[in-house]
Amino acid sequence: MLLRSINSVVRQRRQTMTQQITVFGYGAVGRPIVEKLVARGDRVRIATRRLPANLPANVEHMPCDVLDAADVRAALAGAAQAVLAVGFAYDSRLWRTVWPRAMTNMVEGCAVAGARLVFIDNLYQLGPQTTPRTEEMPLTKVGEKPVILAEVTRIWQSARGRVHVAALRCTDFYGPGVTVSHLGALAIGEIAKGKPAQMLVPTDTPHDFAYVPDIARATVLLLDAPDEDFDQVWNMPCAPTRTPRALLAMAAAARGYTLRVWGVPLALLRPLGLFYRFAKEVADVGFTWDRSYVVDGGKFARRFVFDPTPFEVGVPVTVHAFAGGRSGGYE
């Protein structure tokens, strides 16, 4: 059984090396995915609305709006696999239309092209939980953004039999190049400047964070996996759960600073949201911060023999990247 599994992966890897992979999105997650694929010699096409800066050599770029079905079909022409790693402005009013449309365009486009899809997903759709989040938990009916992502999940799940989809569900990101994040430019980025870290959420609630280079590594493993590993959800493994304060202290120590940090109590988010939209959007998923937020990534870790990067490695790399001016530039 083990030998058959190994042989299947080897055959899939040989096929992948000769196939076109279209990556939709070239932001904090899409770019490191592309870099890993390019480094090993894959044929990669990047599909974004605008030509990214510093496009890797030998990588094709195709102008594409994921909200335009014709654009998506064109970007998928000749592709055997696709990665959906796009992000939209953090606003449920926008998400209500763009996410369902984008996913519909993707599954229909993949069905026409005969391409498999790896979707870099979220976990909001599981709603409030009191135990670690697993792949088997039902979709929620609570919250604006969670309900929208639950609908998106149903869209790709209803395409089973026509399209092979693997959803890699990731909690909040951190890492080099990740500016828009609870541990992004206003938190670790400020520490890198010797300034106080700022967080719009409590700093002492245990919370899982996914390291972006790990997400890229996991995505490539799924692209190399046989069809049997598709048509299902995979939770992204994370390093053992810490509080944001503990991680920020680690960042400060890596720069030789004493941590200074301020956070916003959850009780203030909704009043603050009356005149600051982003606070309202964070309050919409307040269940991710009013209790420990733990993701069970054991299924993926066991299947792919995957060890997430320890925070003791990832956090110093991240703060030094901010200090060195490598904090952004992703489109």
Side-chain angles (χ1 to χ4, degrees), residues 92-115:
S92 55
R93 297 169 299 182
L94 178 67
W95 282 28
R96 197 172 297 123
T97 55
V98 296
W99 266 120
R101 185 186 304 171
M103 181 53 71
T104 297
N105 289 345
M106 288 300 303
V107 296
E108 295 304 324
C110 285
V112 171

Side-chain angles (χ1 to χ4, degrees), residues 22 24 76 80-85 103 106-107 110 115-120 156 163-167 223 230-231:
T22 300
F24 293 83
L76 286 167
Q81 302 206 79
V83 178
L84 181 59
M103 181 53 71
M106 288 300 303
V107 296
C110 285
R116 305 194 310 177
L117 173 64
V118 176
F119 171 36
I120 309 302
W156 70 256
V163 181
H164 288 306
V165 181
L223 289 169
F230 278 65
D231 307 318

Side-chain angles (χ1 to χ4, degrees), residues 116-159:
R116 305 194 310 177
L117 173 64
V118 176
F119 171 36
I120 309 302
D121 200 1
N122 200 312
L123 289 119
Y124 289 166
Q125 60 268 51
L126 301 184
Q129 301 291 340
T130 56
T131 58
R133 283 158 169 76
T134 66
E135 291 87 350
E136 294 76 25
M137 287 179 170
L139 300 174
T140 189
K141 298 180 181 179
V142 176
E144 291 185 88
K145 290 186 293 298
V147 168
I148 293 165
L149 293 186
E151 179 186 354
V152 171
T153 300
R154 294 188 187 96
I155 290 171
W156 70 256
Q157 288 180 339
S158 67

Side-chain angles (χ1 to χ4, degrees), residues 5 9 53-54 105 120 138 152 195 219 302 324 327:
S5 178
V9 171
N54 303 317
N105 289 345
I120 309 302
V152 171
K195 298 180 179 180
T219 300
R302 290 187 297 270
S327 59

Side-chain angles (χ1 to χ4, degrees), residues 295-316:
V295 179
D296 183 348
K299 174 185 169 184
F300 190 98
R302 290 187 297 270
R303 169 64 184 86
F304 295 100
V305 194
F306 187 96
D307 292 320
T309 300
F311 286 120
E312 290 79 4
V313 174
V315 170

Side-chain angles (χ1 to χ4, degrees), residues 37-317:
L37 294 173
V38 170
R40 67 180 199 167
D42 286 305
R43 295 170 53 215
V44 181
R45 174 186 295 152
I46 297 172
T48 59
R49 287 182 298 171
R50 294 179 294 274
L51 178 67
N54 303 317
L55 191 71
N58 302 318
V59 171
E60 177 188 0
H61 175 261
M62 180 169 288
C64 175
D65 182 347
V66 294
L67 303 182
D68 186 307
D71 277 7
V72 172
R73 286 195 301 271
L76 286 167
Q81 302 206 79
V83 178
L84 181 59
V86 300
F88 296 107
Y90 200 67
D91 190 325
S92 55
R93 297 169 299 182
L94 178 67
W95 282 28
R96 197 172 297 123
T97 55
V98 296
W99 266 120
R101 185 186 304 171
M103 181 53 71
T104 297
N105 289 345
M106 288 300 303
V107 296
E108 295 304 324
C110 285
V112 171
R116 305 194 310 177
L117 173 64
V118 176
F119 171 36
I120 309 302
D121 200 1
N122 200 312
L123 289 119
Y124 289 166
Q125 60 268 51
L126 301 184
Q129 301 291 340
T130 56
T131 58
R133 283 158 169 76
T134 66
E135 291 87 350
E136 294 76 25
M137 287 179 170
L139 300 174
T140 189
K141 298 180 181 179
V142 176
E144 291 185 88
K145 290 186 293 298
V147 168
I148 293 165
L149 293 186
E151 179 186 354
V152 171
T153 300
R154 294 188 187 96
I155 290 171
W156 70 256
Q157 288 180 339
S158 67
R160 286 172 176 160
R162 296 192 300 127
V163 181
H164 288 306
V165 181
L168 182 64
R169 285 181 177 168
C170 307
T171 182
D172 294 283
F173 305 156
Y174 88 101
V178 182
T179 56
V180 184
S181 162
H182 290 298
L183 294 183
L186 293 178
I188 293 180
E190 290 297 282
I191 290 174
K193 302 174 186 175
K195 298 180 179 180
Q198 304 171 37
M199 295 196 72
L200 197 62
V201 292
T203 59
D204 295 307
T205 301
H207 192 95
D208 274 343
F209 288 91
Y211 189 46
V212 162
D214 285 350
I215 296 173
R217 186 159 52 102
T219 300
V220 173
L221 286 170
L222 284 172
L223 289 169
D224 289 350
D227 289 346
E228 302 89 86
D229 291 323
F230 278 65
D231 307 318
Q232 59 185 296
V233 170
W234 299 91
N235 284 351
M236 179 67 211
C238 302
T241 313
R242 305 283 186 91
T243 65
R245 184 182 298 276
L247 300 179
L248 295 175
M250 201 178 294
R255 296 295 296 165
Y257 301 141
T258 298
L259 177 64
R260 293 177 292 159
V261 58
W262 62 264
V264 176
L266 278 178
L268 295 182
L269 280 180
R270 291 198 182 279
L272 187 60
L274 295 175
F275 55 90
Y276 180 33
R277 180 73 196 191
F278 189 77
K280 180 181 185 301
E281 296 295 341
V282 174
D284 178 46
V285 290
F287 58 79
T288 64
W289 289 102
D290 66 359
R291 68 200 77 183
S292 295
Y293 190 86
V294 181
V295 179
D296 183 348
K299 174 185 169 184
F300 190 98
R302 290 187 297 270
R303 169 64 184 86
F304 295 100
V305 194
F306 187 96
D307 292 320
T309 300
F311 286 120
E312 290 79 4
V313 174
V315 170
V317 168

